[in-house]
């Protein structure tokens, strides 16, 4: 790069710095007469999105070899963390990884996941715009339902923290395990399905798990009614 080009780049950069919001002090060494009082480097003012995804990354980083519950040593291939937009207003929570998720390291990528993706896309949302997680992050042997102690350990270590970081407006719990993990063991999915519940400053709407829909396709219509409620509520909360 010649000196002229370098000067153009420098001038353009200073111009960019001058346009930064209040609180950001730029420093042009060629014109500065007195020492700068305050310099806030751009890196110290990351966008909220970066902050949230960085927070999620550092949370997950701590648990890549988690042995906090028996699922850590019962044949899982890897820990399957939540995935999606850290800025999502809508979060889906399922039960736990199955065989495909355990192999690929991402939630809801098997048959149930394909159906969930279709549902999300039918809502007019690309899957990447929502956040998808599970109560337990390790595959239970033979896809058994996670034990209450496993759910509760993993919920405290990861799920509740993911929710605190992402701060969605609505969480859609998929099936009984996720619904009980958040709303309490006494709750019945059949009674609570399709009804918003206020929980920790956000709304939870329980619905059927996609695996249940694969076995009972006529219930897809019911779940679609629930998704319409979510879409309307998100619109209202904008
Ligand atoms: N079922 C779940 O509950 N979660 C997954 O990630 C896949 C299937």
């Amino acid at each position: 790069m010649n000196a002229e080009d370098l000067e153009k780049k420098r001038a353009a950069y200073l111009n960019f710095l001058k346009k930064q919001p209040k609180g950001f002090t730029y420093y042009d060494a060629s014109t500065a007469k007195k020492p700068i009082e305050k310099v806030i480097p751009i890196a110290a003012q990351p966008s909220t999105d970066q902050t949230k995804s960085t927070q999620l990354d550092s949370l997950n980083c701590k648990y890549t070899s988690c042995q906090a519950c028996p699922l850590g040593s019962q044949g899982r291939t890897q820990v399957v963390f939540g995935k999606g937009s850290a800025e999502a207003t809508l979060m889906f929570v399922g039960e736990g990884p199955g065989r495909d998720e355990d192999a690929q390291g991402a939630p809801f990528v098997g048959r149930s996941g394909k159906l969930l993706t279709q549902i999300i896309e039918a809502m007019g949302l690309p899957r990447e715009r929502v956040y998808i997680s599970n109560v337990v992050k390790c595959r239970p042997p033979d896809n058994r339902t996670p034990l209450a102690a496993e759910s509760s350990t993993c919920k405290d270590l990861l799920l509740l923290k993911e929710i605190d970081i992402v701060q969605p407006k609505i969480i859609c719990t998929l099936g009984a395990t996720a619904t009980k993990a958040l709303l309490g063991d006494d709750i019945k999915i059949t009674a609570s399905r399709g009804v918003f519940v206020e929980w920790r400053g956000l709304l939870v709407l329980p619905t059927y798990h996609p695996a249940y829909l694969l076995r009972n396709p006529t219930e897809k219509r019911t779940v679609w009614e629930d998704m319409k409620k979510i879409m309307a509520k998100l619109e209202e909360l904008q």
Side-chain angles (χ1 to χ4, degrees):
M1 191 186 306
N2 62 34
E4 199 180 323
D5 286 346
L6 186 64
E7 179 51 29
K8 271 192 205 147
K9 287 204 172 234
R10 196 188 69 87
Y13 184 64
L14 288 175
N15 206 23
F16 158 78
L17 294 182
K18 279 179 195 165
K19 288 187 193 139
Q20 293 313 296
K22 259 188 157 171
F24 183 97
T25 308
Y26 70 93
Y27 177 54
D28 180 351
S30 65
T31 56
K33 300 229 166 42
K34 53 181 181 172
I36 14 159
E37 283 145 21
K38 187 165 135 208
V39 173
I40 302 170
I42 292 175
Q45 295 186 317
S47 74
T48 330
D49 192 19
Q50 279 173 324
T51 309
K52 286 186 175 187
S53 52
T54 307
Q55 282 175 23
L56 284 172
D57 287 346
S58 21
L59 171 68
N60 295 346
C61 226
K62 290 194 220 156
Y63 295 102
T64 46
S65 313
C66 184
Q67 295 288 336
C69 87
L71 293 180
S73 52
Q74 293 187 350
R76 69 144 195 244
T77 307
Q78 55 193 313
V79 181
V80 180
F81 298 110
K83 195 168 175 197
S85 167
E87 288 289 306
T89 49
L90 175 58
M91 181 183 292
F92 289 90
V93 178
E95 179 175 302
R99 194 188 46 206
D100 295 307
E101 291 75 21
D102 178 65
Q104 294 180 44
F108 282 99
V109 289
R111 278 185 74 217
S112 295
K114 292 204 168 66
L115 177 55
L116 179 61
T117 306
Q118 280 174 2
I119 294 171
I120 295 168
E121 288 174 352
M123 296 168 83
L125 292 167
R127 184 177 152 133
E128 306 72 52
R129 287 264 306 281
V130 304
Y131 188 85
I132 303 177
S133 196
N134 279 305
V135 175
V136 296
K137 295 340 190 222
C138 297
R139 182 192 182 197
D142 302 321
N143 291 349
R144 67 159 167 77
T145 305
L147 304 176
E150 295 161 350
S151 289
S152 134
T153 303
C154 207
K155 177 182 86 170
D156 291 347
L157 290 181
L158 277 153
L159 183 60
L160 292 183
K161 291 180 187 157
E162 288 175 282
I163 295 170
D164 284 346
I165 293 170
V166 178
Q167 294 182 301
K169 291 186 171 145
I170 297 177
I171 295 180
C172 178
T173 50
L174 302 166
T177 303
T179 305
K180 284 172 190 282
L182 295 194
L183 302 181
D185 270 343
D186 298 337
I187 203 136
K188 297 262 177 296
I189 181 73
T190 36
S192 61
R193 204 224 83 247
V195 181
F196 283 109
V197 179
E198 277 190 44
W199 176 84
R200 292 165 61 112
L202 53 88
L203 294 171
V204 173
L205 183 126
T207 196
Y208 294 136
H209 193 284
Y212 174 78
L213 298 184
L214 291 171
R215 297 190 301 272
N216 302 275
T218 52
E219 294 292 0
K220 285 183 186 172
R221 192 180 281 266
T222 316
V223 168
W224 182 240
E225 290 308 312
D226 296 344
M227 296 306 112
K228 288 203 282 192
K229 286 183 197 166
I230 290 180
M231 290 187 288
K233 187 59 83 178
L234 281 175
E235 184 108 10
E236 192 187 312
L237 297 173
Q238 285 288 329

